[in-house]
Amino acid sequence: MTLLTWTPEHKADFAAKNLLFNHDLDHSPLFTDEALIALIDRYPRDKLEVFTMGYDPANWGQWYLGRRGDLDGRALMEGVKAGRLWLNLRKVNHADADIAELCDQMFDEIKAQNGITTLKQDLGLLISSPNAHVFYHLDMPLVMLWQIRGVKKLYLYPPAAPCVDDAHLEGVALRESDEQLPYDAGFDSLALVHDLQPGEMMTWAQNAPHRIVNHGMVNVSLSIEFMTPRALWRANVIYANGCLRRYFGLKPSLARSPKWLEPLKIAYARIIKALGGFKGLKSPLKPRFSIDPVIPGKIIFDDGIVAPEMPGQKPVKPKASEAA
C-alpha cells in the first residue's frame, strides 16, 4: 500500500519540479491531539523549538524564539490553540520510533516509484496556531510538506532572480542567516499560490523561496527535508560560489557558471569544510519570550522587546524600566 498518489508526471518530475500529491495521513491515529501530546512529552525537551512572530510578512526580524519552560505537551497544545505559536519538533524521526517507521516508509516508496536515492532524511513535525505564518525563506535541501490538519496558504516562488539572487542563496548555504530572504510583495505575482488542504503534500524545486500563512485554525504538518546526489551536488556548488565571493571578491553565477567548473568547485567546497568550514557572521537565535504557565498561549516578551503590532492595534510600548 502506498502513502501517495503517483502519476507518470509525479514519477518523472519528483525532486525536480513543483508537484502536488494526495495522501491519507490526515486520518492517521499518529496525529490526533492525544497522540501529539504524548509525542511532545516523549520528544527531548531541549530540542523542541517554540516560536512566535509578527504580522508584517516583510519584517522577518520579528521571528522570535521562545522558552517552553515547564510546560508539558498538553499545555503546549492548549497554547497553540489559544495563542500565536509555532512548535517545531526537528528531526523527530531520529527521536521517535513510530515517526521513524513512517519516515522510512515514505522514502522506501519514493525509491520504489522512481528509483531516486535519498540522503540526509529529516522529518520535522510542525504544530502551529490559527493565522500564524512563516516568513519568506528558502531551504538548501529538497522539501516535502505534508498537510495533516488545518489549511495553510503556501506561496511558492521561482528559485531565481528577482525572488532570490546568488549572494543570498549562498548566504543560506554558508549559514549566514536562518534561511530568511529579503521579501518584496511584488514577488507574489510570480508565485504559485495554493491552499494546502489536509491530505495534500507539496514538494518543489530545490531552493525555491516560499512563505506560509495559516488559515484560522490549528495546523499540523510534516516538513521533510532530504537530499539526492544531484541536490547535494548543487548545494556544494552554491557553497563554493559563496566562498569564492566572500574570500576573493569574485561574482560567480549559479545559472551562468560553466558546467566543467563544477567538479572543481565541489572539491573546493569539500576542502573548505574539511578545514572547519566558512566562518560566517550568523549569531544563534536567542530566546526572546516565555509562555505564561497559567494563561494558555499568552506571550511574555523579555524586557526591551516590543510586542509585534497586530494590524489595527496600537503598538505596545515597553515600560520605562524595560526601555532602559
Side-chain angles (χ1 to χ4, degrees):
M1 180 179 178
T2 59
L3 295 171
L4 294 168
T5 56
W6 292 86
T7 66
E9 179 187 11
H10 288 130
K11 294 180 181 181
D13 294 335
F14 187 83
K17 295 183 179 180
N18 304 334
L19 295 172
L20 180 67
F21 289 79
N22 292 316
H23 66 82
D24 61 3
L25 286 184
D26 51 318
H27 301 298
S28 170
L30 288 173
F31 304 108
T32 64
D33 269 10
E34 291 303 317
L36 292 174
I37 288 167
L39 177 58
I40 291 171
D41 286 335
R42 293 195 303 271
Y43 186 75
R45 290 188 63 85
D46 62 331
K47 299 297 184 183
L48 186 143
E49 295 177 328
V50 54
F51 297 95
T52 193
M53 73 295 296
Y55 300 88
D56 180 356
N59 187 2
W60 52 261
Q62 290 188 332
W63 177 256
Y64 296 117
L65 176 67
R67 310 172 190 85
R68 70 174 289 178
D70 294 326
L71 299 181
D72 61 10
R74 190 170 301 279
L76 286 170
M77 283 295 293
E78 290 303 311
V80 167
K81 293 175 182 178
R84 188 171 177 80
L85 298 173
W86 194 283
L87 305 184
N88 189 354
L89 284 70
R90 293 183 186 271
K91 301 184 179 182
V92 68
N93 58 309
H94 299 290
D96 185 86
D98 290 339
I99 302 298
E101 182 178 355
L102 174 61
C103 187
D104 288 344
Q105 185 180 356
M106 291 175 176
F107 285 102
D108 287 346
E109 180 174 321
I110 290 168
K111 178 72 172 178
Q113 290 292 330
N114 55 27
I116 288 180
T117 297
T118 56
L119 312 163
K120 300 185 177 184
Q121 304 158 358
D122 291 326
L123 186 155
L125 174 65
L126 308 175
I127 307 171
S128 50
S129 296
N131 304 309
H133 71 113
V134 172
F135 292 95
Y136 186 73
H137 72 287
L138 65 80
D139 304 286
M140 194 50 51
L142 291 157
V143 177
M144 295 186 289
L145 184 60
W146 298 61
Q147 190 66 2
I148 308 296
R149 293 167 52 182
V151 181
K152 51 171 39 78
K153 187 177 290 293
L154 173 63
Y155 295 80
L156 187 58
Y157 304 81
C163 297
V164 60
D165 62 26
D166 283 300
H168 286 108
L169 179 58
E170 295 157 9
V172 175
L174 296 174
R175 302 182 185 274
E176 288 181 329
S177 68
D178 290 305
E179 302 172 343
Q180 290 96 342
L181 301 169
Y183 168 71
D184 186 317
F187 297 166
D188 288 358
S189 64
L190 303 173
L192 183 162
V193 183
H194 179 72
D195 286 326
L196 199 65
Q197 306 282 339
E200 291 185 338
M201 184 276 275
M202 183 161 277
T203 185
W204 47 84
Q206 188 179 8
N207 308 140
H210 50 284
R211 65 185 184 94
I212 291 168
V213 182
N214 284 357
H215 284 221
M217 72 285 285
V218 169
N219 271 238
V220 178
S221 313
L222 303 178
S223 178
I224 305 174
E225 295 184 348
F226 64 101
M227 286 288 196
T228 63
R230 181 177 179 179
L232 192 59
W233 181 279
R234 174 183 168 94
N236 276 292
V237 170
I238 295 169
Y239 189 98
N241 284 349
C243 291
L244 291 170
R245 185 184 305 274
R246 287 150 180 81
Y247 289 148
F248 303 106
L250 302 181
K251 297 181 180 180
S253 166
L254 184 64
R256 297 190 300 272
S257 178
K259 293 296 181 184
W260 64 266
L261 276 178
E262 290 189 355
L264 298 176
K265 290 183 176 181
I266 297 295
Y268 174 62
R270 289 176 176 171
I271 290 171
I272 295 297
K273 291 178 181 180
L275 294 174
F278 178 81
K279 306 300 182 185
L281 303 175
K282 176 183 173 182
S283 299
L285 282 179
K286 296 180 180 180
R288 300 298 187 188
F289 70 91
S290 301
I291 306 172
D292 193 303
V294 177
I295 303 174
K298 181 180 178 181
I299 302 296
I300 304 172
F301 285 101
D302 292 357
D303 288 354
I305 303 297
V306 178
E309 182 181 354
M310 183 184 297
Q313 178 189 46
K314 294 182 179 179
V316 179
K317 297 180 180 180
K319 298 176 183 177
S321 60
E322 295 175 344

